[in-house]
Amino acid sequence: MSGWLAVAGLGPGDPSLVTPEVTAALAEATDVVGYIPYVARVAPRPGLTLHPSDNRVELDRALAALQMAAEGRRVVVVSSGDPGVFAMASALFEVVEARPEFHDLDIRILPGITAMLAAAARAGAPLGHDFCAINLSDNLKPFAEVERRLRHAAQGGFAMAFYNPRSSSRPHQFARVLEILREECEPSRLITFARAVSTAEEALTTVTLAEATPEMADMRTVVIVGNEATRRVGGWVYTPRSVTG
Amino acid sequence: MSGWLAVAGLGPGDPSLVTPEVTAALAEATDVVGYIPYVARVAPRPGLTLHPSDNRVELDRALAALQMAAEGRRVVVVSSGDPGVFAMASALFEVVEARPEFHDLDIRILPGITAMLAAAARAGAPLGHDFCAINLSDNLKPFAEVERRLRHAAQGGFAMAFYNPRSSSRPHQFARVLEILREECEPSRLITFARAVSTAEEALTTVTLAEATPEMADMRTVVIVGNEATRRVGGWVYTPRSVTG
């Protein structure tokens, strides 16, 4: 029996947004590895061992998964959303880079519906023109780098999607993000706060930049900032395809 | 019978990347509307009328779909990838904006696996840190705007994904894009050309910016440019999660 490892995106929450490719990998797996709430989304069955682990142990989790696959097990590392967007795929390759014994392992990355695109679909089409995805967490980069990217994104006329906008360990940073946006963008710029899209806790709010407050975001929120042409139509928010709009 | 309209993302090509949500909408539809090759991906069945149309008639297509839904039909507008990323969702809302009679229609946007994330998954995790998505076509914006965004994306340290990098009607522009990148980025910067991911014609090539040539892209290619930390490990390409790498 030859082992393999798949890093799979479970999408934003609802089972109808899990691809058949991911469902098939989970059906063949002997082991599922991941952050506790993501592993909880996989149905237990005989022959499948679940390995939930805490947040912020991504490298340990990746190493454990690689070791099991090298031993011949069929391992799925589960991520929320898409594994390549601020999730487990990069963490896995960081470990593979340091461990040449894993270079020939059978590894697949299985894409998923990432949070910003699920949120954009619910809101309308706010990312319908050029856009940026920015992780606002400073766990892995200095906040000065976040600020630099925000300014380039705004000055370049990009719409923006923010992941990890706010957490209890850094409550003041998102207030600073709003300040930077107010320096770079007009007060009428539309911002959508999309919380827990496709789950029972889903909540969407769209306000202007002038109206936005830090408390509108939490760790389960994706924030989408339109570009200067982004507008409302009926209950929807969309960004025109053309620059002249 | 009350009509509805869904704008659905079919993903990059393989049926295993179509979400169950989209499959369910197609199963309930009376009419499927879209660009010829995308409608061709929907299996015919009794009771379903297929309405394939040519490229560059997005607004006509959206209007026809809205009119059918208003008449009580169940209409799915199909896009490749995700409908909200350089696809039909924005075109639809442009028409809705001009036609208040459609504002109360039952409209849903159903997300899909967009080309850049399917390509990134095949390559490894090149979009594992902050990134931008840029449509290189100048059908709907002046090329000067493309250039401005490229420079901000590069100067901001973003990885980049390019949609519509090159077509027969504008063969020289992608050469100019590479020139701009060479002014802004180091020659060793990694670029992945991902053609027709998840189809029989899939082909991935990763080269350095110094080695890249315009002919490496065509209209079925998504181009992914790493950030300065993007690197190879084994046969994979990945971008570390942290800035210091």
Side-chain angles (χ1 to χ4, degrees):
Chain A
M1 186 178 87
S2 109
W4 49 255
L5 190 155
V7 188
L10 295 178
D14 192 271
S16 75
L17 295 175
V18 180
T19 67
E21 181 181 65
V22 168
T23 300
L26 289 169
E28 292 172 12
T30 56
D31 298 85
V32 169
V33 173
Y35 179 40
I36 297 162
Y38 308 150
V39 172
R41 289 168 53 190
V42 177
R45 60 172 166 76
L48 178 66
T49 306
L50 302 177
H51 305 266
S53 51
D54 207 347
N55 211 349
R56 302 206 182 182
V57 295
E58 288 83 4
L59 299 180
D60 295 343
R61 181 190 298 151
L63 177 60
L66 286 159
Q67 285 169 333
M68 285 192 285
E71 288 161 8
R73 301 190 68 84
R74 302 185 296 276
V75 183
V76 177
V77 177
V78 287
S79 269
S80 175
D82 181 277
V85 179
F86 311 127
M88 278 301 296
S90 283
L92 183 93
F93 290 116
E94 286 174 38
V95 176
V96 172
E97 186 173 36
R99 300 274 193 143
E101 69 267 31
F102 296 132
H103 284 198
D104 293 328
L105 209 61
D106 178 359
I107 296 173
R108 288 174 300 152
I109 311 298
L110 309 184
I113 303 292
T114 187
M116 68 177 166
L117 298 184
R122 280 291 203 273
L127 302 178
H129 197 66
D130 302 333
F131 66 93
C132 297
I134 305 177
N135 186 349
L136 293 187
S137 167
D138 67 348
N139 286 343
L140 295 160
K141 67 185 166 201
F143 189 75
E145 189 74 3
V146 173
E147 175 166 346
R148 184 168 79 98
R149 291 191 178 152
L150 287 171
R151 293 194 190 276
H152 277 293
Q155 291 166 14
F158 289 95
M160 302 171 225
F162 302 148
Y163 285 72
N164 303 312
R166 194 159 180 262
S167 77
S168 52
S169 62
R170 45 188 176 84
H172 305 301
Q173 282 179 358
F174 188 62
R176 178 69 191 132
V177 166
L178 290 176
E179 282 178 13
I180 294 165
L181 290 174
R182 286 182 181 122
E183 291 169 21
E184 300 287 345
C185 306
E186 67 289 354
S188 59
R189 184 70 62 102
L190 293 180
I191 304 192
T192 299
F193 294 86
R195 185 169 190 278
V197 166
S198 89
T199 75
E201 291 83 38
E202 176 175 315
L204 260 78
T205 313
T206 298
V207 298
T208 63
L209 180 53
E211 297 162 337
T213 64
E215 296 69 31
M216 291 176 178
D218 69 6
M219 63 183 295
R220 296 187 69 193
T221 305
V222 167
V223 179
I224 296 180
V225 181
N227 70 20
E228 64 182 0
T230 303
R231 58 189 76 172
R232 296 178 191 265
V233 51
W236 302 98
V237 175
Y238 90 102
T239 300
R241 300 169 302 153
S242 68
V243 159
T244 52
Chain B
M1 186 177 86
S2 112
W4 49 254
L5 190 156
V7 188
L10 295 178
D14 192 273
S16 75
L17 295 175
V18 180
T19 66
E21 181 180 65
V22 168
T23 300
L26 289 169
E28 293 172 11
T30 57
D31 298 85
V32 169
V33 173
Y35 179 39
I36 298 163
Y38 308 151
V39 173
R41 289 168 53 189
V42 178
R45 61 173 165 75
L48 178 67
T49 306
L50 302 177
H51 304 266
S53 51
D54 207 348
N55 211 349
R56 301 206 182 183
V57 294
E58 288 82 4
L59 299 180
D60 296 342
R61 181 190 297 151
L63 177 59
L66 287 159
Q67 285 170 333
M68 285 192 285
E71 289 161 8
R73 302 190 66 84
R74 303 185 296 276
V75 183
V76 177
V77 177
V78 287
S79 269
S80 174
D82 181 277
V85 179
F86 311 126
M88 279 300 297
S90 282
L92 184 93
F93 289 116
E94 286 174 39
V95 176
V96 172
E97 186 173 36
R99 300 274 194 144
E101 69 267 32
F102 296 132
H103 284 199
D104 293 329
L105 209 60
D106 178 359
I107 296 173
R108 290 175 299 153
I109 311 297
L110 310 184
I113 302 292
T114 188
M116 68 178 167
L117 297 184
R122 281 291 203 273
L127 301 177
H129 197 66
D130 300 335
F131 65 93
C132 296
I134 305 177
N135 185 349
L136 294 188
S137 169
D138 66 349
N139 287 342
L140 295 161
K141 67 186 164 199
F143 189 75
E145 190 73 3
V146 173
E147 175 165 346
R148 183 169 80 100
R149 290 189 180 154
L150 287 171
R151 293 193 190 279
H152 276 293
Q155 291 167 13
F158 289 95
M160 302 170 223
F162 301 148
Y163 285 71
N164 303 312
R166 194 159 181 262
S167 77
S168 52
S169 62
R170 44 188 177 85
H172 304 301
Q173 281 178 0
F174 189 62
R176 179 69 191 132
V177 166
L178 290 176
E179 282 177 15
I180 294 164
L181 290 174
R182 286 181 180 122
E183 290 170 21
E184 300 289 344
C185 307
E186 67 290 353
S188 60
R189 184 70 62 102
L190 292 180
I191 303 192
T192 298
F193 294 86
R195 184 170 190 277
V197 166
S198 89
T199 76
E201 292 79 40
E202 176 175 315
L204 259 78
T205 313
T206 298
V207 298
T208 64
L209 180 53
E211 296 162 337
T213 65
E215 297 70 30
M216 290 176 178
D218 69 7
M219 63 184 294
R220 297 187 68 195
T221 305
V222 167
V223 180
I224 296 179
V225 181
N227 71 19
E228 65 182 1
T230 303
R231 57 189 79 170
R232 295 178 191 265
V233 51
W236 302 98
V237 175
Y238 91 102
T239 300
R241 299 170 302 154
S242 68
V243 159
T244 52

